[in-house]
Amino acid sequence: MVRETVAPYRGVFGAPRPAALASLALPPAAMAPRQGLRPLKAWRYVGVYGPELMLCIGSARVGPARQAFWAVWDRVTGRLHERTAIGGGAVSLGTGFARVDDRAVKLELGLEETAGVETIAPAGDAYAWTRKQGGVRAIGTVEIDGAVRRVNARAVIDDTAGYYPRHTHWRWSAGVGHTEEGRELAWNLVAGVNDAPSGSERTVWVDGRPEEVGPCLFAADLGAVDGLEFRSEAVRARRDNLLLVRSSYRQPFGTFRGELPGGLRLAEGYGVMEEHDAWW
């Protein structure tokens, strides 16, 4: 069984992997649409967080089913614009770019991507792969009801593909900010998936350099993760019941204060918290 033969692995995406992983199909190679009875679950999520605008663009699949989504939280006007659609919708995602062309909202972003941190983890008796990039520069425009706004902010990018168990539950946080001394910070914190004591996807980037951090504890109301306090401003939430696939999530945009793992105190921080419960 995979859980007996694959230990958690963490490295730089594109670097040589251990020989023990050679038998696994892993990106950039294609992964099989299913392993046994488990369909492939895969997604790409781009979150851009700043003091005036926060936004996310994503696409996801569970087996043959596809879903796309986007959201823009305009902190200046206090309005949340969002849409989720079955299929590709109006979202286009690829290496180095993200686009949305959906009725009253148009978005065009260039992303200065890096190699990123990849992890490979047991997922029950199967496995999962993920690649996280933090502090990525995102530059472009968002047009809302004909008004064009410039975007020049930092992003967290999540690429994931795996054969997760039928019932999977996790809490997650991603964000960007800086210390009182002016050091740039980004983070990816999680509990519930890819969260072994070591070799996990948990990462804090300091001036662009990634460091793994230890296990973290999320408040049930998503008001904090360890010493990092969160104030929710606008909430994306959705429930889907498609018979074989059921999903419930909430992902608020907001601000952070306090300390990241390692004692890094935020002067300001922007990003999201998330709780996701899926039967897939």
Side-chain angles (χ1 to χ4, degrees):
M1 297 174 72
V2 172
R3 82 172 98 189
E4 298 175 344
T5 58
V6 175
Y9 165 76
R10 176 186 171 99
V12 176
F13 181 65
R17 296 171 175 138
L21 299 173
S23 64
L24 300 182
L26 295 166
M31 294 174 65
R34 61 179 55 245
Q35 184 178 74
L37 297 177
R38 291 191 190 178
L40 179 66
K41 295 105 178 186
W43 59 86
R44 179 170 174 87
Y45 169 96
V46 176
V48 182
Y49 315 119
E52 294 186 1
L53 292 169
M54 287 192 264
L55 55 94
C56 66
I57 312 104
S59 62
R61 63 172 287 189
V62 179
R66 301 290 194 277
Q67 187 180 78
F69 58 88
W70 61 265
V72 178
W73 165 229
D74 188 336
R75 300 185 74 231
V76 175
T77 65
R79 294 180 63 192
L80 175 66
H81 309 263
E82 65 170 317
R83 190 177 307 282
T84 299
I86 302 301
V91 169
S92 179
L93 287 168
T95 301
F97 72 89
R99 300 187 188 102
V100 173
D101 187 356
D102 193 347
R103 301 182 188 177
V105 172
K106 301 182 188 303
L107 192 151
E108 183 86 27
L109 289 179
L111 304 168
E112 298 177 4
E113 298 200 38
T114 65
V117 175
E118 74 167 356
T119 58
I120 298 152
D125 59 356
Y127 68 95
W129 169 90
T130 188
R131 173 196 182 198
K132 299 297 195 294
Q133 302 174 66
V136 172
R137 183 62 59 184
I139 299 174
T141 58
V142 57
E143 180 181 337
I144 302 174
D145 295 326
V148 178
R149 307 266 292 278
R150 293 289 302 171
V151 177
N152 187 345
R154 290 183 296 134
V156 174
I157 302 177
D158 172 5
D159 292 292
T160 296
Y163 307 98
Y164 288 105
R166 170 75 173 134
H167 182 214
T168 309
H169 175 266
W170 68 86
R171 293 187 176 107
W172 178 69
S173 177
V176 303
H178 64 266
T179 68
E180 294 170 354
E181 299 76 28
R183 304 186 75 182
E184 290 195 344
L185 301 174
W187 64 88
N188 174 85
L189 304 175
V190 71
V193 292
N194 312 324
D195 63 348
S198 63
S200 75
E201 69 168 66
R202 295 182 306 271
T203 304
V204 173
W205 289 263
V206 183
D207 291 332
R209 298 181 62 179
E211 295 289 342
E212 184 179 12
V213 296
C216 50
L217 179 64
F218 285 77
D221 65 356
L222 300 183
V225 49
D226 289 343
L228 196 62
E229 299 178 13
F230 177 70
R231 185 172 71 86
S232 174
E233 295 182 342
V235 181
R236 296 178 56 239
R238 185 177 175 93
R239 290 179 178 270
D240 288 306
N241 187 348
L242 304 176
L243 299 179
L244 292 178
V245 176
R246 304 193 304 277
S247 175
S248 172
Y249 75 80
R250 56 190 175 114
Q251 187 189 82
F253 292 103
T255 59
F256 293 85
R257 67 178 185 178
E259 289 189 356
L260 283 163
L264 295 161
R265 178 162 290 278
L266 282 173
E268 62 178 353
Y270 307 95
V272 295
M273 297 283 259
E274 179 183 89
E275 181 167 24
H276 200 131
D277 191 72
W279 290 84
W280 53 4

